[in-house]
Amino acid sequence: LLGTSITLLSNHWLMAWMGLEINTLAVIPMMTYPNNMRNTESAIKYFLMQATASMIIMFAIIYNAWMTNQWTLFQISNEWATMFMTLALAMKLGLAPFHFWVPEVTQGIPLTSGMILLTWQKIAPTSILYQISPSLNMNMLAMMAISSTLLGGWGGLNQTHLRKILAYSSIAHMGWMTIIALINPTLTILNLLIYFAATLTMFLSLNMMSITKINALSNLWNKSTPMTIILLITLLSLGGLPPLTGFMPKWLILQELSMHNNIMMATMLALSALLSLFFYMRIIYMSALTMFPSTNLSKFQWFFPTTKSTFMIPSLTIISAMLLPLSPLVIILT
């Protein structure tokens, strides 16, 4: 909380960098709990990647200060400093071609830590991206954004682990957020908030049912039928189907790109969304459209009262499914 707040509120590059560092170091103990080899390995991978990105950010800050004599967050005008800052933010956010660490780290840590990694840890780098978007290298950022949406879709096609699927989903969504940061940064924030609502719903639901693989979903209807419906709605929203909330940012981003004569870019993004939708539909098919073999009654389980909190799931489900009618208000505000 402190690290993200410092980055959000800072106007000086060193303070913003310090917030990113506090954020990175504070999450590592959470990733290594409970302590085992897989968690530790994932935490080390995460630390190495984030430390490298922080080093590049510091280099870009110092080089920019040396060339322009400015430490203000908005004053990054040197071409080389801009290029290095773009690369470092791409590494922090997990944009292609620096996306390889995201599925590996997410797969090796518990669901709650994975939820923090794919939601809260995106806030600080996205805030910097939002603030300095007019100064960033447009060609490089657009190329990385389109690569992220395509690779995020392709990567998740043959996955069976739900945490990896959600990690590739995160990569694809980061591509959508990054590409519109150059044209209309407000839509980046909108996309981030709706992505947060849907991803939090997914992680909390899976954590409540203790499910990490696709094949375990086939018996979910027997454990909790409402949870099956929640997963179905949330996944369709993540895929961007109307009339769910997830359609709103995709629609507005494609509209904005078309208005600025980026027809090819909009077409590639729309086609890449189909790739993501395919692996969301695989999960839906396993959880909601198939029934467990019913040759005997042994499949029925004893219903123990759950000890995990569920109070946020209904609210987040409503947010991630029913906010599309607010689109006219969002269009006016953006």
PDB file of all heavy atoms in Angstrom, residues 229-264:
ATOM      1  N   ILE A 229     -22.160 -20.367 -12.270  1.00  0.00           N
ATOM      2  CA  ILE A 229     -22.763 -19.260 -13.026  1.00  0.00           C
ATOM      3  C   ILE A 229     -21.870 -18.017 -12.951  1.00  0.00           C
ATOM      4  O   ILE A 229     -21.679 -17.307 -13.945  1.00  0.00           O
ATOM      5  CB  ILE A 229     -24.178 -18.953 -12.488  1.00  0.00           C
ATOM      6  CG1 ILE A 229     -25.069 -20.180 -12.678  1.00  0.00           C
ATOM      7  CG2 ILE A 229     -24.770 -17.736 -13.162  1.00  0.00           C
ATOM      8  CD1 ILE A 229     -26.345 -20.157 -11.887  1.00  0.00           C
ATOM      9  N   ILE A 230     -21.295 -17.761 -11.759  1.00  0.00           N
ATOM     10  CA  ILE A 230     -20.402 -16.604 -11.592  1.00  0.00           C
ATOM     11  C   ILE A 230     -19.187 -16.734 -12.498  1.00  0.00           C
ATOM     12  O   ILE A 230     -18.788 -15.767 -13.171  1.00  0.00           O
ATOM     13  CB  ILE A 230     -19.992 -16.465 -10.103  1.00  0.00           C
ATOM     14  CG1 ILE A 230     -21.158 -15.915  -9.297  1.00  0.00           C
ATOM     15  CG2 ILE A 230     -18.767 -15.570  -9.945  1.00  0.00           C
ATOM     16  CD1 ILE A 230     -20.943 -15.915  -7.801  1.00  0.00           C
ATOM     17  N   LEU A 231     -18.573 -17.931 -12.534  1.00  0.00           N
ATOM     18  CA  LEU A 231     -17.417 -18.147 -13.415  1.00  0.00           C
ATOM     19  C   LEU A 231     -17.800 -17.945 -14.870  1.00  0.00           C
ATOM     20  O   LEU A 231     -17.044 -17.325 -15.642  1.00  0.00           O
ATOM     21  CB  LEU A 231     -16.853 -19.552 -13.211  1.00  0.00           C
ATOM     22  CG  LEU A 231     -16.017 -19.807 -11.958  1.00  0.00           C
ATOM     23  CD1 LEU A 231     -15.508 -21.238 -11.953  1.00  0.00           C
ATOM     24  CD2 LEU A 231     -14.845 -18.850 -11.868  1.00  0.00           C
ATOM     25  N   LEU A 232     -18.943 -18.453 -15.272  1.00  0.00           N
ATOM     26  CA  LEU A 232     -19.400 -18.317 -16.660  1.00  0.00           C
ATOM     27  C   LEU A 232     -19.533 -16.837 -17.039  1.00  0.00           C
ATOM     28  O   LEU A 232     -19.006 -16.397 -18.065  1.00  0.00           O
ATOM     29  CB  LEU A 232     -20.742 -19.044 -16.814  1.00  0.00           C
ATOM     30  CG  LEU A 232     -21.360 -19.127 -18.214  1.00  0.00           C
ATOM     31  CD1 LEU A 232     -22.131 -20.426 -18.357  1.00  0.00           C
ATOM     32  CD2 LEU A 232     -22.305 -17.962 -18.490  1.00  0.00           C
ATOM     33  N   ILE A 233     -20.214 -16.071 -16.202  1.00  0.00           N
ATOM     34  CA  ILE A 233     -20.453 -14.646 -16.506  1.00  0.00           C
ATOM     35  C   ILE A 233     -19.136 -13.874 -16.519  1.00  0.00           C
ATOM     36  O   ILE A 233     -18.875 -13.055 -17.410  1.00  0.00           O
ATOM     37  CB  ILE A 233     -21.429 -14.042 -15.467  1.00  0.00           C
ATOM     38  CG1 ILE A 233     -22.823 -14.652 -15.643  1.00  0.00           C
ATOM     39  CG2 ILE A 233     -21.494 -12.527 -15.584  1.00  0.00           C
ATOM     40  CD1 ILE A 233     -23.793 -14.310 -14.534  1.00  0.00           C
ATOM     41  N   THR A 234     -18.269 -14.147 -15.527  1.00  0.00           N
ATOM     42  CA  THR A 234     -17.003 -13.407 -15.425  1.00  0.00           C
ATOM     43  C   THR A 234     -16.089 -13.699 -16.605  1.00  0.00           C
ATOM     44  O   THR A 234     -15.446 -12.781 -17.146  1.00  0.00           O
ATOM     45  CB  THR A 234     -16.287 -13.771 -14.104  1.00  0.00           C
ATOM     46  OG1 THR A 234     -17.202 -13.658 -13.024  1.00  0.00           O
ATOM     47  CG2 THR A 234     -15.115 -12.846 -13.857  1.00  0.00           C
ATOM     48  N   LEU A 235     -16.018 -14.950 -17.021  1.00  0.00           N
ATOM     49  CA  LEU A 235     -15.162 -15.302 -18.157  1.00  0.00           C
ATOM     50  C   LEU A 235     -15.667 -14.675 -19.449  1.00  0.00           C
ATOM     51  O   LEU A 235     -14.874 -14.198 -20.272  1.00  0.00           O
ATOM     52  CB  LEU A 235     -15.087 -16.825 -18.299  1.00  0.00           C
ATOM     53  CG  LEU A 235     -14.179 -17.523 -17.281  1.00  0.00           C
ATOM     54  CD1 LEU A 235     -14.465 -19.006 -17.247  1.00  0.00           C
ATOM     55  CD2 LEU A 235     -12.707 -17.277 -17.598  1.00  0.00           C
ATOM     56  N   LEU A 236     -16.974 -14.663 -19.650  1.00  0.00           N
ATOM     57  CA  LEU A 236     -17.528 -14.012 -20.844  1.00  0.00           C
ATOM     58  C   LEU A 236     -17.259 -12.507 -20.814  1.00  0.00           C
ATOM     59  O   LEU A 236     -17.007 -11.890 -21.850  1.00  0.00           O
ATOM     60  CB  LEU A 236     -19.032 -14.278 -20.945  1.00  0.00           C
ATOM     61  CG  LEU A 236     -19.444 -15.713 -21.309  1.00  0.00           C
ATOM     62  CD1 LEU A 236     -20.953 -15.860 -21.284  1.00  0.00           C
ATOM     63  CD2 LEU A 236     -18.900 -16.117 -22.678  1.00  0.00           C
ATOM     64  N   SER A 237     -17.280 -11.925 -19.604  1.00  0.00           N
ATOM     65  CA  SER A 237     -16.960 -10.493 -19.472  1.00  0.00           C
ATOM     66  C   SER A 237     -15.486 -10.233 -19.782  1.00  0.00           C
ATOM     67  O   SER A 237     -15.144  -9.257 -20.454  1.00  0.00           O
ATOM     68  CB  SER A 237     -17.309 -10.017 -18.065  1.00  0.00           C
ATOM     69  OG  SER A 237     -17.059  -8.643 -17.922  1.00  0.00           O
ATOM     70  N   LEU A 238     -14.608 -11.110 -19.280  1.00  0.00           N
ATOM     71  CA  LEU A 238     -13.176 -10.987 -19.602  1.00  0.00           C
ATOM     72  C   LEU A 238     -12.940 -11.096 -21.109  1.00  0.00           C
ATOM     73  O   LEU A 238     -12.074 -10.430 -21.662  1.00  0.00           O
ATOM     74  CB  LEU A 238     -12.379 -12.076 -18.883  1.00  0.00           C
ATOM     75  CG  LEU A 238     -11.837 -11.781 -17.488  1.00  0.00           C
ATOM     76  CD1 LEU A 238     -11.212 -13.036 -16.899  1.00  0.00           C
ATOM     77  CD2 LEU A 238     -10.813 -10.656 -17.509  1.00  0.00           C
ATOM     78  N   GLY A 239     -13.730 -11.962 -21.753  1.00  0.00           N
ATOM     79  CA  GLY A 239     -13.602 -12.116 -23.203  1.00  0.00           C
ATOM     80  C   GLY A 239     -14.136 -10.932 -23.982  1.00  0.00           C
ATOM     81  O   GLY A 239     -13.833 -10.792 -25.170  1.00  0.00           O
ATOM     82  N   GLY A 240     -14.931 -10.081 -23.336  1.00  0.00           N
ATOM     83  CA  GLY A 240     -15.415  -8.868 -23.989  1.00  0.00           C
ATOM     84  C   GLY A 240     -16.691  -9.047 -24.772  1.00  0.00           C
ATOM     85  O   GLY A 240     -16.896  -8.388 -25.787  1.00  0.00           O
ATOM     86  N   LEU A 241     -17.586  -9.924 -24.304  1.00  0.00           N
ATOM     87  CA  LEU A 241     -18.849 -10.132 -25.019  1.00  0.00           C
ATOM     88  C   LEU A 241     -19.930  -9.198 -24.475  1.00  0.00           C
ATOM     89  O   LEU A 241     -20.056  -9.049 -23.260  1.00  0.00           O
ATOM     90  CB  LEU A 241     -19.317 -11.582 -24.873  1.00  0.00           C
ATOM     91  CG  LEU A 241     -18.531 -12.647 -25.651  1.00  0.00           C
ATOM     92  CD1 LEU A 241     -19.218 -13.980 -25.498  1.00  0.00           C
ATOM     93  CD2 LEU A 241     -18.420 -12.299 -27.116  1.00  0.00           C
ATOM     94  N   PRO A 242     -20.728  -8.574 -25.367  1.00  0.00           N
ATOM     95  CA  PRO A 242     -21.879  -7.818 -24.870  1.00  0.00           C
ATOM     96  C   PRO A 242     -22.971  -8.784 -24.423  1.00  0.00           C
ATOM     97  O   PRO A 242     -22.997  -9.919 -24.902  1.00  0.00           O
ATOM     98  CB  PRO A 242     -22.326  -7.027 -26.124  1.00  0.00           C
ATOM     99  CG  PRO A 242     -21.818  -7.822 -27.292  1.00  0.00           C
ATOM    100  CD  PRO A 242     -20.570  -8.514 -26.816  1.00  0.00           C
ATOM    101  N   PRO A 243     -23.850  -8.442 -23.497  1.00  0.00           N
ATOM    102  CA  PRO A 243     -24.017  -7.119 -22.883  1.00  0.00           C
ATOM    103  C   PRO A 243     -23.288  -6.988 -21.547  1.00  0.00           C
ATOM    104  O   PRO A 243     -23.798  -6.349 -20.628  1.00  0.00           O
ATOM    105  CB  PRO A 243     -25.532  -7.072 -22.689  1.00  0.00           C
ATOM    106  CG  PRO A 243     -25.875  -8.502 -22.345  1.00  0.00           C
ATOM    107  CD  PRO A 243     -24.924  -9.369 -23.112  1.00  0.00           C
ATOM    108  N   LEU A 244     -22.129  -7.606 -21.397  1.00  0.00           N
ATOM    109  CA  LEU A 244     -21.395  -7.580 -20.129  1.00  0.00           C
ATOM    110  C   LEU A 244     -20.430  -6.398 -20.088  1.00  0.00           C
ATOM    111  O   LEU A 244     -20.093  -5.803 -21.113  1.00  0.00           O
ATOM    112  CB  LEU A 244     -20.649  -8.903 -19.945  1.00  0.00           C
ATOM    113  CG  LEU A 244     -21.540 -10.157 -19.973  1.00  0.00           C
ATOM    114  CD1 LEU A 244     -20.697 -11.405 -19.997  1.00  0.00           C
ATOM    115  CD2 LEU A 244     -22.475 -10.170 -18.773  1.00  0.00           C
ATOM    116  N   THR A 245     -19.952  -6.080 -18.880  1.00  0.00           N
ATOM    117  CA  THR A 245     -19.111  -4.895 -18.686  1.00  0.00           C
ATOM    118  C   THR A 245     -17.827  -4.956 -19.508  1.00  0.00           C
ATOM    119  O   THR A 245     -17.348  -3.941 -19.995  1.00  0.00           O
ATOM    120  CB  THR A 245     -18.741  -4.749 -17.189  1.00  0.00           C
ATOM    121  OG1 THR A 245     -19.914  -4.936 -16.415  1.00  0.00           O
ATOM    122  CG2 THR A 245     -18.151  -3.397 -16.899  1.00  0.00           C
ATOM    123  N   GLY A 246     -17.257  -6.151 -19.668  1.00  0.00           N
ATOM    124  CA  GLY A 246     -15.982  -6.290 -20.380  1.00  0.00           C
ATOM    125  C   GLY A 246     -16.033  -5.852 -21.822  1.00  0.00           C
ATOM    126  O   GLY A 246     -14.987  -5.588 -22.440  1.00  0.00           O
ATOM    127  N   PHE A 247     -17.252  -5.728 -22.387  1.00  0.00           N
ATOM    128  CA  PHE A 247     -17.384  -5.254 -23.768  1.00  0.00           C
ATOM    129  C   PHE A 247     -17.081  -3.761 -23.874  1.00  0.00           C
ATOM    130  O   PHE A 247     -16.614  -3.286 -24.910  1.00  0.00           O
ATOM    131  CB  PHE A 247     -18.808  -5.548 -24.266  1.00  0.00           C
ATOM    132  CG  PHE A 247     -19.115  -5.020 -25.634  1.00  0.00           C
ATOM    133  CD1 PHE A 247     -18.433  -5.497 -26.748  1.00  0.00           C
ATOM    134  CD2 PHE A 247     -20.082  -4.051 -25.821  1.00  0.00           C
ATOM    135  CE1 PHE A 247     -18.719  -5.019 -28.013  1.00  0.00           C
ATOM    136  CE2 PHE A 247     -20.368  -3.559 -27.089  1.00  0.00           C
ATOM    137  CZ  PHE A 247     -19.684  -4.050 -28.182  1.00  0.00           C
ATOM    138  N   MET A 248     -17.344  -3.011 -22.785  1.00  0.00           N
ATOM    139  CA  MET A 248     -17.225  -1.554 -22.828  1.00  0.00           C
ATOM    140  C   MET A 248     -15.819  -1.056 -23.191  1.00  0.00           C
ATOM    141  O   MET A 248     -15.665  -0.288 -24.151  1.00  0.00           O
ATOM    142  CB  MET A 248     -17.669  -0.959 -21.487  1.00  0.00           C
ATOM    143  CG  MET A 248     -17.809   0.558 -21.508  1.00  0.00           C
ATOM    144  SD  MET A 248     -17.711   1.301 -19.863  1.00  0.00           S
ATOM    145  CE  MET A 248     -19.008   0.460 -18.990  1.00  0.00           C
ATOM    146  N   PRO A 249     -14.752  -1.484 -22.469  1.00  0.00           N
ATOM    147  CA  PRO A 249     -13.421  -0.959 -22.827  1.00  0.00           C
ATOM    148  C   PRO A 249     -12.974  -1.384 -24.225  1.00  0.00           C
ATOM    149  O   PRO A 249     -12.378  -0.580 -24.945  1.00  0.00           O
ATOM    150  CB  PRO A 249     -12.498  -1.528 -21.748  1.00  0.00           C
ATOM    151  CG  PRO A 249     -13.229  -2.654 -21.133  1.00  0.00           C
ATOM    152  CD  PRO A 249     -14.683  -2.341 -21.282  1.00  0.00           C
ATOM    153  N   LYS A 250     -13.279  -2.626 -24.618  1.00  0.00           N
ATOM    154  CA  LYS A 250     -12.862  -3.079 -25.951  1.00  0.00           C
ATOM    155  C   LYS A 250     -13.573  -2.277 -27.041  1.00  0.00           C
ATOM    156  O   LYS A 250     -12.959  -1.862 -28.028  1.00  0.00           O
ATOM    157  CB  LYS A 250     -13.151  -4.577 -26.104  1.00  0.00           C
ATOM    158  CG  LYS A 250     -12.189  -5.462 -25.317  1.00  0.00           C
ATOM    159  CD  LYS A 250     -12.433  -6.922 -25.585  1.00  0.00           C
ATOM    160  CE  LYS A 250     -11.312  -7.812 -25.041  1.00  0.00           C
ATOM    161  NZ  LYS A 250     -11.053  -7.699 -23.634  1.00  0.00           N
ATOM    162  N   TRP A 251     -14.848  -2.050 -26.851  1.00  0.00           N
ATOM    163  CA  TRP A 251     -15.626  -1.268 -27.811  1.00  0.00           C
ATOM    164  C   TRP A 251     -15.067   0.157 -27.922  1.00  0.00           C
ATOM    165  O   TRP A 251     -14.839   0.664 -29.027  1.00  0.00           O
ATOM    166  CB  TRP A 251     -17.092  -1.273 -27.359  1.00  0.00           C
ATOM    167  CG  TRP A 251     -17.976  -0.261 -27.999  1.00  0.00           C
ATOM    168  CD1 TRP A 251     -17.955   0.164 -29.298  1.00  0.00           C
ATOM    169  CD2 TRP A 251     -19.020   0.480 -27.366  1.00  0.00           C
ATOM    170  NE1 TRP A 251     -18.922   1.095 -29.515  1.00  0.00           N
ATOM    171  CE2 TRP A 251     -19.601   1.311 -28.339  1.00  0.00           C
ATOM    172  CE3 TRP A 251     -19.539   0.481 -26.071  1.00  0.00           C
ATOM    173  CZ2 TRP A 251     -20.656   2.177 -28.060  1.00  0.00           C
ATOM    174  CZ3 TRP A 251     -20.596   1.327 -25.798  1.00  0.00           C
ATOM    175  CH2 TRP A 251     -21.146   2.166 -26.781  1.00  0.00           C
ATOM    176  N   LEU A 252     -14.835   0.808 -26.777  1.00  0.00           N
ATOM    177  CA  LEU A 252     -14.348   2.192 -26.786  1.00  0.00           C
ATOM    178  C   LEU A 252     -12.943   2.294 -27.357  1.00  0.00           C
ATOM    179  O   LEU A 252     -12.622   3.251 -28.077  1.00  0.00           O
ATOM    180  CB  LEU A 252     -14.385   2.763 -25.360  1.00  0.00           C
ATOM    181  CG  LEU A 252     -15.773   2.945 -24.751  1.00  0.00           C
ATOM    182  CD1 LEU A 252     -15.678   3.393 -23.314  1.00  0.00           C
ATOM    183  CD2 LEU A 252     -16.590   3.943 -25.554  1.00  0.00           C
ATOM    184  N   ILE A 253     -12.087   1.299 -27.056  1.00  0.00           N
ATOM    185  CA  ILE A 253     -10.712   1.327 -27.581  1.00  0.00           C
ATOM    186  C   ILE A 253     -10.720   1.145 -29.094  1.00  0.00           C
ATOM    187  O   ILE A 253     -10.032   1.880 -29.827  1.00  0.00           O
ATOM    188  CB  ILE A 253      -9.851   0.245 -26.883  1.00  0.00           C
ATOM    189  CG1 ILE A 253      -9.545   0.653 -25.445  1.00  0.00           C
ATOM    190  CG2 ILE A 253      -8.545   0.004 -27.644  1.00  0.00           C
ATOM    191  CD1 ILE A 253      -8.936  -0.438 -24.593  1.00  0.00           C
ATOM    192  N   LEU A 254     -11.505   0.184 -29.599  1.00  0.00           N
ATOM    193  CA  LEU A 254     -11.586  -0.019 -31.051  1.00  0.00           C
ATOM    194  C   LEU A 254     -12.183   1.199 -31.746  1.00  0.00           C
ATOM    195  O   LEU A 254     -11.735   1.592 -32.825  1.00  0.00           O
ATOM    196  CB  LEU A 254     -12.423  -1.266 -31.360  1.00  0.00           C
ATOM    197  CG  LEU A 254     -11.807  -2.608 -30.955  1.00  0.00           C
ATOM    198  CD1 LEU A 254     -12.778  -3.746 -31.226  1.00  0.00           C
ATOM    199  CD2 LEU A 254     -10.491  -2.866 -31.670  1.00  0.00           C
ATOM    200  N   GLN A 255     -13.151   1.825 -31.112  1.00  0.00           N
ATOM    201  CA  GLN A 255     -13.755   3.032 -31.678  1.00  0.00           C
ATOM    202  C   GLN A 255     -12.733   4.165 -31.747  1.00  0.00           C
ATOM    203  O   GLN A 255     -12.630   4.873 -32.752  1.00  0.00           O
ATOM    204  CB  GLN A 255     -14.957   3.450 -30.832  1.00  0.00           C
ATOM    205  CG  GLN A 255     -15.663   4.703 -31.328  1.00  0.00           C
ATOM    206  CD  GLN A 255     -16.769   5.142 -30.383  1.00  0.00           C
ATOM    207  OE1 GLN A 255     -17.307   4.329 -29.648  1.00  0.00           O
ATOM    208  NE2 GLN A 255     -17.106   6.412 -30.392  1.00  0.00           N
ATOM    209  N   GLU A 256     -11.960   4.332 -30.668  1.00  0.00           N
ATOM    210  CA  GLU A 256     -10.948   5.401 -30.622  1.00  0.00           C
ATOM    211  C   GLU A 256      -9.861   5.176 -31.673  1.00  0.00           C
ATOM    212  O   GLU A 256      -9.430   6.112 -32.347  1.00  0.00           O
ATOM    213  CB  GLU A 256     -10.337   5.435 -29.218  1.00  0.00           C
ATOM    214  CG  GLU A 256      -9.638   6.731 -28.866  1.00  0.00           C
ATOM    215  CD  GLU A 256     -10.605   7.856 -28.540  1.00  0.00           C
ATOM    216  OE1 GLU A 256     -11.757   7.574 -28.191  1.00  0.00           O
ATOM    217  OE2 GLU A 256     -10.188   9.011 -28.666  1.00  0.00           O
ATOM    218  N   LEU A 257      -9.410   3.920 -31.810  1.00  0.00           N
ATOM    219  CA  LEU A 257      -8.396   3.611 -32.827  1.00  0.00           C
ATOM    220  C   LEU A 257      -8.930   3.869 -34.232  1.00  0.00           C
ATOM    221  O   LEU A 257      -8.222   4.406 -35.086  1.00  0.00           O
ATOM    222  CB  LEU A 257      -7.951   2.145 -32.691  1.00  0.00           C
ATOM    223  CG  LEU A 257      -7.083   1.801 -31.487  1.00  0.00           C
ATOM    224  CD1 LEU A 257      -6.918   0.294 -31.372  1.00  0.00           C
ATOM    225  CD2 LEU A 257      -5.718   2.464 -31.580  1.00  0.00           C
ATOM    226  N   SER A 258     -10.187   3.506 -34.480  1.00  0.00           N
ATOM    227  CA  SER A 258     -10.787   3.729 -35.801  1.00  0.00           C
ATOM    228  C   SER A 258     -10.921   5.222 -36.102  1.00  0.00           C
ATOM    229  O   SER A 258     -10.691   5.658 -37.233  1.00  0.00           O
ATOM    230  CB  SER A 258     -12.169   3.068 -35.874  1.00  0.00           C
ATOM    231  OG  SER A 258     -12.073   1.698 -35.598  1.00  0.00           O
ATOM    232  N   MET A 259     -11.270   6.005 -35.093  1.00  0.00           N
ATOM    233  CA  MET A 259     -11.406   7.454 -35.287  1.00  0.00           C
ATOM    234  C   MET A 259     -10.074   8.109 -35.634  1.00  0.00           C
ATOM    235  O   MET A 259     -10.036   9.140 -36.297  1.00  0.00           O
ATOM    236  CB  MET A 259     -11.978   8.095 -34.017  1.00  0.00           C
ATOM    237  CG  MET A 259     -13.477   7.881 -33.850  1.00  0.00           C
ATOM    238  SD  MET A 259     -14.052   8.363 -32.216  1.00  0.00           S
ATOM    239  CE  MET A 259     -13.613  10.095 -32.173  1.00  0.00           C
ATOM    240  N   HIS A 260      -8.961   7.503 -35.184  1.00  0.00           N
ATOM    241  CA  HIS A 260      -7.628   8.040 -35.482  1.00  0.00           C
ATOM    242  C   HIS A 260      -6.977   7.327 -36.670  1.00  0.00           C
ATOM    243  O   HIS A 260      -5.750   7.333 -36.814  1.00  0.00           O
ATOM    244  CB  HIS A 260      -6.731   7.937 -34.247  1.00  0.00           C
ATOM    245  CG  HIS A 260      -7.072   8.925 -33.181  1.00  0.00           C
ATOM    246  ND1 HIS A 260      -8.141   8.751 -32.316  1.00  0.00           N
ATOM    247  CD2 HIS A 260      -6.522  10.121 -32.859  1.00  0.00           C
ATOM    248  CE1 HIS A 260      -8.217   9.786 -31.494  1.00  0.00           C
ATOM    249  NE2 HIS A 260      -7.247  10.628 -31.794  1.00  0.00           N
ATOM    250  N   ASN A 261      -7.818   6.687 -37.494  1.00  0.00           N
ATOM    251  CA  ASN A 261      -7.357   6.038 -38.741  1.00  0.00           C
ATOM    252  C   ASN A 261      -6.356   4.910 -38.517  1.00  0.00           C
ATOM    253  O   ASN A 261      -5.495   4.666 -39.362  1.00  0.00           O
ATOM    254  CB  ASN A 261      -6.757   7.080 -39.712  1.00  0.00           C
ATOM    255  CG  ASN A 261      -7.808   8.068 -40.175  1.00  0.00           C
ATOM    256  OD1 ASN A 261      -8.954   7.689 -40.420  1.00  0.00           O
ATOM    257  ND2 ASN A 261      -7.426   9.330 -40.278  1.00  0.00           N
ATOM    258  N   ASN A 262      -6.457   4.240 -37.373  1.00  0.00           N
ATOM    259  CA  ASN A 262      -5.612   3.064 -37.120  1.00  0.00           C
ATOM    260  C   ASN A 262      -6.431   1.796 -37.363  1.00  0.00           C
ATOM    261  O   ASN A 262      -6.634   0.981 -36.462  1.00  0.00           O
ATOM    262  CB  ASN A 262      -5.079   3.087 -35.679  1.00  0.00           C
ATOM    263  CG  ASN A 262      -4.066   4.188 -35.470  1.00  0.00           C
ATOM    264  OD1 ASN A 262      -3.223   4.436 -36.320  1.00  0.00           O
ATOM    265  ND2 ASN A 262      -4.164   4.865 -34.351  1.00  0.00           N
ATOM    266  N   ILE A 263      -6.917   1.651 -38.576  1.00  0.00           N
ATOM    267  CA  ILE A 263      -7.844   0.550 -38.888  1.00  0.00           C
ATOM    268  C   ILE A 263      -7.148  -0.813 -38.756  1.00  0.00           C
ATOM    269  O   ILE A 263      -7.700  -1.765 -38.185  1.00  0.00           O
ATOM    270  CB  ILE A 263      -8.431   0.713 -40.309  1.00  0.00           C
ATOM    271  CG1 ILE A 263      -9.116   2.070 -40.458  1.00  0.00           C
ATOM    272  CG2 ILE A 263      -9.416  -0.422 -40.615  1.00  0.00           C
ATOM    273  CD1 ILE A 263     -10.286   2.287 -39.547  1.00  0.00           C
ATOM    274  N   MET A 264      -5.911  -0.913 -39.267  1.00  0.00           N
ATOM    275  CA  MET A 264      -5.188  -2.188 -39.203  1.00  0.00           C
ATOM    276  C   MET A 264      -4.936  -2.609 -37.759  1.00  0.00           C
ATOM    277  O   MET A 264      -5.087  -3.774 -37.394  1.00  0.00           O
ATOM    278  CB  MET A 264      -3.861  -2.082 -39.958  1.00  0.00           C
ATOM    279  CG  MET A 264      -3.984  -2.205 -41.467  1.00  0.00           C
ATOM    280  SD  MET A 264      -4.670  -3.804 -41.961  1.00  0.00           S
ATOM    281  CE  MET A 264      -3.380  -4.908 -41.402  1.00  0.00           C
TER     282      MET A 264
END
